[in-house]
């Protein structure tokens, strides 16, 4: 009797140096295929995988990267303890049929003597940037380098990090980078908590209270639907929701213009409602874009 064969899983080619990456990309390009790129810091979850699936629909080939970028972490942030489950991440990307995984080391991205930083003025010092000085310089500097190396047709980013997506869209436009940027919607747990690698830091009790972020946003969404347009009243409704969760410490509740990130007094056509809070050892963020009808 013939032995049952497991269905063949496509191998996941992996590269480390920029030279290896360029030669693997050149082979993909030789067939004239378009490349969609999904950069990550690993510790993958369904949010990342949803971007891979969207990328797969948008182009013939999908390239992903895993790089925990030291430059975007502040001195008291979680760079050293950020989770790095490499084998699990690779298996997840392989089962999604990713065509190439780039896992650079710090020296591949920041060569000896490196002095160049990319900074998007104006948008980088508010909201997340106000709480995390230098964070977006780190993000822009790494993503500019990743894009220069991969040279993808498409870049997929998550709406979960709305300010990051906005800043990277601005950077790519300002630097005349030949890439189309797409945003994938925020993927959530069943109770509404946005998927995040940092959710792993939460204790059971903290995890239960972390739902405050999405519940606060849901309260604001309902008020907007009902016609409320005062940013102060929307913020107050979120804060009231959070009052029931003593383990949740507000960092900011912001109702801003989705393009300039300037605070709004009154919501007109469009707004970004964005929140950040400390829950135990984790700092969590969430948001929703509002497009009035
Ligand atoms: P990170 O590994 O946290 O740097 O995230 C890599 C990419 O995945 C970024 O574009 C994020 O915005 C995106 N992402 C993270 N969490 C989610 C989520 N819950 N839903 C959708 N995209 C996400």
């Amino acid at each position: 009797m013939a032995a049952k064969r497991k269905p063949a899983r496509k191998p996941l080619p992996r590269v480390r140096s920029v030279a290896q990456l360029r030669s693997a990309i050149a082979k993909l390009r030789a067939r004239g295929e378009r490349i969609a790129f999904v950069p990550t810091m690993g510790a993958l979850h369904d949010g990342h995988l949803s971007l891979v699936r969207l990328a797969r629909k948008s182009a013939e080939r999908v390239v992903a990267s895993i790089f925990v970028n030291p430059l975007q972490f502040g001195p008291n942030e979680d760079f050293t303890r950020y989770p790095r489950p490499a084998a699990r991440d690779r298996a997840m990307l392989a089962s999604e049929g990713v065509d190439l995984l780039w896992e650079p080391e710090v020296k591949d991205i920041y060569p000896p003597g490196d002095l160049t930083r990319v900074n998007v003025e104006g948008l980088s010092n508010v909201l997340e940037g106000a709480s995390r000085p230098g964070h977006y310089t780190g993000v822009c500097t790494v993503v500019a380098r990743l894009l220069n190396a991969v040279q993808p047709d498409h870049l997929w980013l998550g709406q979960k990090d709305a300010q990051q997506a906005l800043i990277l869209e601005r950077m790519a436009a300002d630097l005349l980078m030949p890439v189309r940027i797409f945003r994938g919607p925020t993927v959530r747990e069943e109770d509404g908590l946005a998927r995040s690698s940092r959710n792993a830091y939460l204790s059971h009790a903290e995890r239960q209270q972390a739902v405050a972020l999405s519940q606060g946003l849901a309260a604001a969404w309902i008020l907007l639907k009902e016609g409320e347009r005062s940013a102060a009243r929307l913020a107050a409704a979120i804060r009231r929701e959070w009052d029931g969760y003593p383990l949740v410490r507000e960092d900011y509740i912001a109702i801003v213009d989705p393009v300039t990130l300037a605070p709004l007094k009154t919501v007109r056509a469009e707004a970004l409602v964005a929140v950040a809070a400390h829950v135990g050892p984790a700092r969590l963020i969430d948001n929703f874009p509002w497009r009035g009808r």
Side-chain angles (χ1 to χ4, degrees):
M1 206 170 78
K4 261 196 191 161
R5 282 221 222 120
K6 276 191 186 163
R9 192 163 77 183
K10 211 173 92 180
L12 172 63
R14 289 190 277 131
V15 289
R16 199 166 284 288
S17 71
V18 175
Q20 287 168 343
L21 172 84
R22 287 198 200 281
S23 101
I25 294 270
K27 282 187 195 130
L28 296 179
R29 287 270 184 221
R31 304 189 200 109
E33 291 165 331
R34 286 171 308 169
I35 291 172
F37 178 43
V38 183
T40 80
M41 298 207 301
L44 301 179
H45 51 66
D46 249 4
H48 300 109
L49 299 187
S50 75
L51 294 181
V52 168
R53 290 174 201 136
L54 289 164
R56 151 94 37 249
K57 286 191 197 144
S58 84
E60 290 76 28
R61 297 286 172 186
V62 178
V63 176
S65 65
I66 295 179
F67 180 61
V68 185
N69 172 34
L71 202 64
Q72 71 187 70
F73 288 79
N76 299 317
E77 292 185 2
D78 53 348
F79 174 68
T80 46
R81 70 190 167 103
Y82 199 83
R84 291 165 172 85
R88 183 174 168 275
D89 285 349
R90 289 170 191 156
M92 287 168 85
L93 294 174
S95 64
E96 292 297 331
V98 163
D99 296 284
L100 181 65
L101 170 60
W102 185 23
E103 299 173 301
E105 288 176 34
V106 172
K107 67 174 170 26
D108 298 309
I109 299 294
Y110 300 105
D114 150 64
L115 290 172
T116 305
R117 297 291 173 265
V118 181
N119 187 40
V120 173
E121 305 281 331
L123 299 177
S124 297
N125 299 327
V126 297
L127 303 178
E128 284 303 283
S131 297
R132 306 181 67 188
H135 172 65
Y136 287 117
T137 302
V139 169
C140 290
T141 300
V142 74
V143 174
R145 290 168 194 224
L146 298 175
L147 289 173
N148 277 340
V150 176
Q151 302 195 341
D153 300 276
H154 299 166
L155 170 65
W156 278 92
L157 301 170
Q159 174 66 27
K160 156 85 184 341
D161 299 281
Q163 186 178 7
Q164 169 173 281
L166 177 72
I167 288 173
L168 292 174
E169 286 159 2
R170 192 68 258 158
M171 175 190 81
D174 291 353
L175 296 181
L176 313 181
M177 290 176 156
V179 65
R180 278 181 69 186
I181 302 185
F182 300 90
R183 294 190 198 188
T186 302
V187 174
R188 299 176 178 283
E189 304 279 0
E190 250 172 46
D191 65 356
L193 175 66
R195 301 292 308 254
S196 164
S197 308
R198 290 189 166 100
N199 293 348
Y201 299 152
L202 301 171
S203 71
H204 179 69
E206 289 156 359
R207 168 65 189 83
Q208 284 182 320
Q209 299 213 0
V211 74
L213 278 83
S214 59
Q215 284 197 353
L217 291 176
W221 172 267
I222 289 167
L223 285 179
L224 276 161
K225 278 268 187 207
E226 289 171 354
E228 179 62 77
R229 290 295 176 267
S230 150
R233 280 198 290 271
L234 292 167
I238 296 175
R239 212 161 277 129
R240 252 194 326 275
E241 197 70 37
W242 288 11
D243 282 346
Y245 297 93
L247 299 181
V248 175
R249 275 189 301 119
E250 174 182 337
D251 185 347
Y252 61 78
I253 293 174
I255 292 113
V256 297
D257 180 286
V259 177
T260 65
L261 301 181
L264 297 176
K265 275 204 166 88
T266 306
V267 175
R268 295 190 200 285
E270 296 200 337
L272 176 72
V273 182
V275 299
H278 293 272
V279 187
R283 187 174 170 285
L284 304 179
I285 59 173
D286 201 349
N287 72 82
F288 70 84
W290 169 259
R291 281 176 203 93
R293 279 153 270 258

